[in-house]
């Protein structure tokens, strides 16, 4: 297998799964963004044939780290999004697990699918920003996308219980994030530290913040529509604070299939890597008697702006998903930099999405162009809001 995004949280969980089944897997390539020390450490442990780093200027640092750990012969080294694409297009492997953050992994995903490979997909942005392109690459090249996200993995598993024509709707569960019971007034004052306190999952900063705004669920809704070829009106969001039921499929006969498990990403990762087999594991198993009760609440989509925006982006089609993702990433960063309030994250995204005109999406370059343009538009709106807030502040002080 090839693992891109090896030094992140999904990358770490993936290597734990592989470590339990070392006889079955060989690591052909590992890629990371900027953490060359950690990447060299992994190279010393796993001895891949190739490595990828975020940018060409990091290669000398990576070489030095490899030499310091006696990694010989030195693996082939690729850099940047083009480097990852070349590895995905040229290396010998069966499964690419894509756990990179952001759009740089998209070309690699397309290359893998076009070659008929299995793409174990943990990257959040790929299907949101470039769903039509990746689904087409898979259809034409014979590649398969196996979702690693716990919700989509759950749906993938529940869909094995019936035929696609028998599905009535998908039910995506959402923990509701750290702000589930917060009032509008409290939300107005929510800080980055508050937003990073996710009740059930340990994840990176962007996705944890997106869980707090529910934009993460919005992205998952778009991903589900692509992956399982359904309309947004067939996907319902259900609040389930315990994150034990990972998602469900409702069939037309009234039967509802659910997939349950502990909140451990190694389970969906292993499912994607060993599919269609289910392999034994010694990891902690779900104890329903200890859980005792499962709680569910209706998601109030009138209040949850991020879900409405995601549905709007899906219906608009084309590059709207890329715009949604890029605007959200800029807004989340601005929130952590103290430039935006928590509620302004979704407001900026709504502004940018609502003003968007160019929705062409014929190739990956269209997604990348929409991404770059939406980022600039979002940055302008962040600046305008920061200035307005500054002006209000000084007015209040006077
Ligand atoms: Mg998820």
């Amino acid at each position: 297998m090839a693992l891109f995004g090896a030094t992140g949280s999904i990358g770490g969980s993936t290597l734990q799964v592989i470590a339990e089944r070392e006889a079955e897997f060989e690591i052909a390539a590992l890629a990371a963004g900027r953490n060359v020390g950690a990447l060299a450490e992994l190279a010393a442990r796993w001895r891949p044939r190739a490595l990828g780093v975020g940018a060409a200027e990091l290669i000398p640092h990576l070489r030095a780290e490899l030499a310091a750990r006696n990694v010989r012969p030195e693996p082939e080294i690729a850099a940047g999004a083009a480097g990852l694409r070349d590895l995905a297009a040229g290396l010998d492997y069966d499964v690419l697990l894509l756990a990179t953050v952001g759009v740089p992994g998209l070309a690699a995903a397309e290359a893998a699918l076009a070659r008929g490979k299995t793409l174990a997909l943990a990257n959040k942005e790929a299907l949101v920003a470039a769903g039509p392109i990746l689904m087409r690459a898979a259809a034409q090249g014979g590649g398969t996308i196996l979702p690693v996200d716990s919700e989509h993995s759950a749906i993938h598993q529940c869909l094995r219980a019936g035929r696609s024509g028998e599905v009535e709707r998908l039910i995506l569960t959402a923990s509701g994030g750290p702000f589930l019971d917060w009032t509008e007034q409290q939300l107005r004052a929510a800080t980055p530290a508050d937003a990073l306190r996710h009740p059930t999952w340990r994840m990176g900063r962007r996705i944890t913040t997106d869980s707090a705004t529910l934009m993460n669920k919005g992205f998952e809704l778009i991903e589900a529509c692509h992956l399982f070829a359904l309309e947004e009106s067939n996907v319902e969001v259900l609040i389930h604070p315990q994150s034990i039921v990972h998602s469900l499929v409702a069939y037309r006969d009234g039967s509802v299939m659910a997939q349950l498990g502990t909140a451990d990403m190694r389970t969906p990762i292993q499912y994607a890597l060993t599919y269609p087999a289910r392999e034994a594991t010694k990891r902690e198993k779900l104890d329903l008697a200890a859980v005792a009760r499962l709680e569910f609440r209706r998601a109030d989509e009138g209040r949850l702006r991020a879900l409405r925006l995601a549905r709007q982006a899906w219906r608009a089609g084309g590059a709207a998903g890329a715009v949604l993702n890029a605007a959200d990433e800029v807004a989340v960063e601005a929130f952590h930099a103290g430039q935006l309030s928590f509620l302004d994250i979704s407001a900026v995204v709504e502004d940018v999405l609502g003003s968007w005109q160019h929705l062409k999406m014929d190739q990956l370059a269209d997604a990348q162009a929409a991404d770059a343009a939406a980022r600039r538009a979002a940055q302008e709106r962040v600046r305008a809001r920061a200035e307005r807030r500054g002006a209000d502040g000084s007015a209040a002080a006077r």
Side-chain angles (χ1 to χ4, degrees):
M1 71 172 295
L3 172 59
F4 293 174
T7 56
S9 105
I10 295 285
S13 296
T14 301
L15 291 171
Q16 286 177 26
V17 170
I18 300 291
E20 289 173 23
R21 352 194 52 83
E22 254 188 280
E24 299 154 49
F25 288 92
E26 186 194 329
I27 305 274
L30 292 171
R34 305 199 66 85
N35 196 346
V36 292
L39 182 60
E41 199 64 53
L42 293 178
R45 162 73 174 84
W46 296 97
R47 301 285 164 164
R49 293 192 296 281
L51 294 174
V53 283
E57 81 251 17
L58 296 168
I59 293 178
H61 303 293
L62 177 58
R63 288 226 160 95
E65 297 280 356
L66 291 170
R69 290 169 180 82
N70 244 326
V71 181
R72 290 202 190 92
E74 188 182 87
E76 176 192 337
I77 301 177
L84 290 189
R85 182 200 58 213
D86 293 346
L87 289 182
L91 267 182
D92 186 21
Y93 64 93
D94 298 312
V95 184
L96 166 62
L97 195 146
L98 187 68
T100 52
V101 176
V103 292
L106 293 192
E110 186 188 27
L113 292 169
R115 283 176 79 192
K117 302 291 187 189
T118 296
L119 176 67
L121 188 60
N123 170 295
K124 274 275 154 184
E125 292 84 357
L127 285 175
V128 175
I133 308 298
L134 296 185
M135 297 314 291
R136 188 181 65 196
Q140 290 176 352
T144 307
I145 303 179
L146 289 175
V148 167
D149 206 351
S150 59
E151 291 80 358
H152 304 94
S153 176
I155 291 170
H156 192 276
Q157 296 179 55
C158 295
L159 286 172
R160 292 168 81 173
R163 298 188 190 132
S164 61
E166 298 163 354
V167 173
E168 191 178 82
R169 65 192 201 283
L170 310 182
I171 304 169
L172 271 178
T173 50
S175 70
F179 299 147
L180 183 57
D181 296 313
W182 287 39
T183 64
E184 179 89 9
Q185 187 145 21
Q186 287 174 304
L187 285 179
R188 228 174 295 236
T191 66
D194 295 329
L196 292 181
R197 238 170 263 131
H198 195 278
T200 46
W201 294 100
R202 294 282 149 264
M203 307 173 292
R205 183 165 97 166
R206 162 100 194 270
I207 180 173
T208 307
T209 312
D210 282 338
S211 299
T213 60
L214 269 265
M215 186 55 90
N216 179 55
K217 209 51 56 180
F219 290 160
E220 289 178 356
L221 189 150
I222 293 175
E223 293 180 272
C225 293
H226 283 302
L227 278 171
F228 307 116
L230 286 164
E231 279 307 312
E232 56 86 17
S233 52
N234 297 116
V235 186
E236 178 187 320
V237 174
L238 179 68
I239 303 291
H240 170 48
Q242 295 146 305
S243 302
I244 285 171
V245 176
H246 296 311
S247 277
L248 315 90
V249 174
Y251 286 92
R252 62 184 181 189
D253 64 349
S255 293
V256 178
M257 299 293 162
Q259 187 260 347
L260 288 72
T262 56
D264 185 336
M265 283 309 294
R266 289 174 296 185
T267 307
I269 289 168
Q270 178 174 311
Y271 176 81
L273 293 179
T274 64
Y275 176 82
R278 289 186 187 273
E279 299 293 349
T281 169
K282 294 193 181 69
R283 290 189 297 272
E284 194 197 336
K285 303 284 164 67
L286 177 63
D287 179 353
L288 274 177
V291 173
R293 272 181 201 83
L294 292 172
E295 255 184 76
F296 302 96
R297 299 187 207 175
R298 211 170 295 286
D300 176 3
E301 295 202 21
R303 211 177 74 106
L304 301 170
R305 178 141 65 162
L307 288 180
R308 287 205 312 274
L309 293 175
R311 291 188 188 279
Q312 180 188 332
W314 169 262
R315 288 193 304 268
V323 171
L324 182 77
N325 170 62
D328 178 69
E329 189 177 323
V330 167
V332 166
E333 277 167 23
F335 168 61
H336 284 283
Q339 296 166 306
L340 275 188
S341 69
F342 179 74
L343 290 177
D344 274 351
I345 298 174
S346 297
V348 163
V349 175
E350 182 161 26
D351 262 11
V352 174
L353 185 67
S355 67
W356 216 257
Q357 301 295 334
H358 314 288
L359 295 173
K360 183 169 85 95
M361 176 72 109
D362 298 328
Q363 50 191 339
L364 211 49
D366 295 328
Q368 286 153 345
D371 177 79
R375 242 165 243 283
R376 284 193 300 273
Q379 273 150 3
E380 272 165 37
R381 281 166 172 83
V382 167
R383 263 196 302 277
R385 267 165 203 275
E387 277 166 24
R388 221 178 305 151
R389 274 214 305 181
D392 290 353
S394 49
R398 278 199 300 273

